[in-house]
Amino acid sequence: MKELKQRSTCPVSTSLDVLGDKWTLLILRDMVFEGKSTYGQFMQSEEKIATNVLADRLAALESQGILTKTVAEDKKSKFTYRLTEKGIDTIPIIVELVLWGTKHLATVVNPVLLEELQAGKDAAIGKYQRNARENSLS
Amino acid sequence: MKELKQRSTCPVSTSLDVLGDKWTLLILRDMVFEGKSTYGQFMQSEEKIATNVLADRLAALESQGILTKTVAEDKKSKFTYRLTEKGIDTIPIIVELVLWGTKHLATVVNPVLLEELQAGKDAAIGKYQRNARENSLS
DNA sequence: TTATTTCACTTGCTATTTGCAAGTAATATA
DNA sequence: TATATTACTTGCAAATAGCAAGTGAAATAA
């Protein structure tokens, strides 16, 4: 598993030690904006993460307290992944990536999200954070 | 050089295609918060980037229009790297990484920056963006 | 004017990480 | 009881990162 090697005590550096790869924040994006919570749902994303990388990242995120893993309510053979407060607090980072990509790169945003962000960034962040908190209870 | 392979049209994904590795945002951090602008200055950071990786990332950042490379004023054998507006617009992302790392990980922040952020995130972002814009003129 | 140093890289090699395809084990459904 | 689904693991090839040494142009020192 991707273990935490801290390169320095700088918060940018240490945050990147945890989140700074090509896949971790996409998993969190799927949880925040798509409401995904299972391995199979993460596999369906259009970016096509490899199975071993997904398993590795989910284990790392769990070990770092960013998400929790529990047996699913409907099936004993499934697991449900839910964001912790530490995970919910990554939402502003993801939103800033959305805004930068939308402004400077060739991307297509979900129009609902775009409208919410245009109406007010902080309100949109608050909405998705409250939403994630509700899901973390069930 | 690290070339841009776009995995999807999602802005989070595409932003990560550009910025989502262990080193790119640290180079931008050094430019924004430390006022660094030369290869030698980037090499001095405590995270110890490898020379070939630094050269690669600077070339990629230039080719993506995030920074510009010009011959230094004082010496013809040196280059000066400066942020473009596209680069200056990454500051909110870096600031969110500072905030998340400070809250959830074992880090040590520059007390000046900490105070500025506590006094108001948007004001602090605005200050560093204005600062970067000034440097980009000279 | 020549010698040495500085600066910004490049090169070559090894180690680590990622990507792909196939396999497995525990349920769940037919 | 047989087939399918789910969440992985395993093995290997390809890509990326890390380390040490080397290079060439320009600046400084003798």
Side-chain angles (χ1 to χ4, degrees):
Chain A
M1 186 180 65
K2 185 194 160 200
E3 67 177 73
L4 198 142
K5 264 175 262 168
Q6 208 172 349
R7 289 172 291 175
S8 77
T9 60
C10 163
V12 180
S13 166
T14 311
S15 293
L16 291 173
D17 291 336
V18 177
L19 306 171
D21 72 282
K22 296 256 179 253
W23 295 108
T24 299
L25 285 167
L26 288 189
I27 295 169
L28 298 178
R29 169 204 65 181
D30 284 348
M31 298 183 81
V32 171
F33 295 119
E34 309 293 327
K36 294 184 182 180
S37 62
T38 67
Y39 186 97
Q41 288 176 326
F42 298 129
M43 280 308 298
Q44 283 161 32
S45 294
E46 56 178 337
E47 290 90 5
K48 303 288 170 214
I49 189 169
T51 55
N52 55 344
V53 175
L54 176 57
D56 179 275
R57 290 309 121 85
L58 287 171
L61 285 166
E62 190 196 4
S63 84
Q64 283 149 20
I66 292 168
L67 46 80
T68 59
K69 179 184 186 177
T70 52
V71 173
E73 281 177 11
D74 54 333
K75 286 184 184 177
K76 272 194 266 183
S77 62
K78 271 170 83 173
F79 294 99
T80 300
Y81 296 93
R82 289 196 189 88
L83 291 172
T84 63
E85 277 298 312
K86 187 174 177 179
I88 290 168
D89 279 342
T90 64
I91 294 177
I93 300 168
I94 302 171
V95 165
E96 293 299 344
L97 289 170
V98 170
L99 291 169
W100 189 77
T102 303
K103 183 168 177 185
H104 292 288
L105 304 169
T107 65
V108 179
V109 211
N110 168 358
V112 175
L113 174 59
L114 182 65
E115 227 173 294
E116 286 167 347
L117 285 173
Q118 282 169 346
K121 185 168 78 179
D122 292 347
I125 290 172
K127 179 201 143 176
Y128 284 99
Q129 289 188 324
R130 280 191 300 279
N131 205 273
R133 250 170 231 125
E134 276 173 38
N135 291 335
S136 77
L137 301 175
S138 58
Chain B
M1 187 180 66
K2 185 194 162 198
E3 66 176 75
L4 198 142
K5 266 175 261 165
Q6 206 173 353
R7 290 171 292 177
S8 77
T9 59
C10 164
V12 180
S13 166
T14 311
S15 294
L16 291 174
D17 290 336
V18 177
L19 306 172
D21 72 282
K22 296 259 179 248
W23 295 109
T24 298
L25 285 168
L26 289 189
I27 295 169
L28 297 178
R29 170 205 64 181
D30 284 349
M31 298 183 80
V32 171
F33 295 120
E34 310 293 329
K36 294 184 183 179
S37 62
T38 67
Y39 187 97
Q41 288 176 327
F42 298 130
M43 280 309 299
Q44 283 160 33
S45 294
E46 58 177 335
E47 290 89 5
K48 302 289 169 214
I49 189 170
T51 56
N52 56 344
V53 175
L54 176 58
D56 180 275
R57 290 307 121 86
L58 287 172
L61 285 166
E62 191 196 3
S63 84
Q64 282 150 19
I66 292 168
L67 47 78
T68 60
K69 179 184 185 176
T70 52
V71 173
E73 282 177 13
D74 54 334
K75 288 184 183 178
K76 273 195 264 183
S77 61
K78 271 169 83 174
F79 294 98
T80 301
Y81 296 93
R82 289 196 190 88
L83 292 172
T84 62
E85 277 299 311
K86 187 172 176 179
I88 290 169
D89 279 342
T90 64
I91 295 178
I93 300 168
I94 302 171
V95 164
E96 292 299 344
L97 289 170
V98 170
L99 291 168
W100 189 76
T102 303
K103 182 168 178 184
H104 292 289
L105 305 169
T107 65
V108 179
V109 210
N110 169 358
V112 175
L113 174 60
L114 183 64
E115 227 172 293
E116 286 167 347
L117 286 172
Q118 282 170 345
K121 184 169 76 180
D122 292 347
I125 289 172
K127 179 202 144 176
Y128 284 100
Q129 290 188 324
R130 279 191 301 280
N131 205 274
R133 250 171 231 123
E134 277 173 38
N135 292 334
S136 76
L137 301 176
S138 57

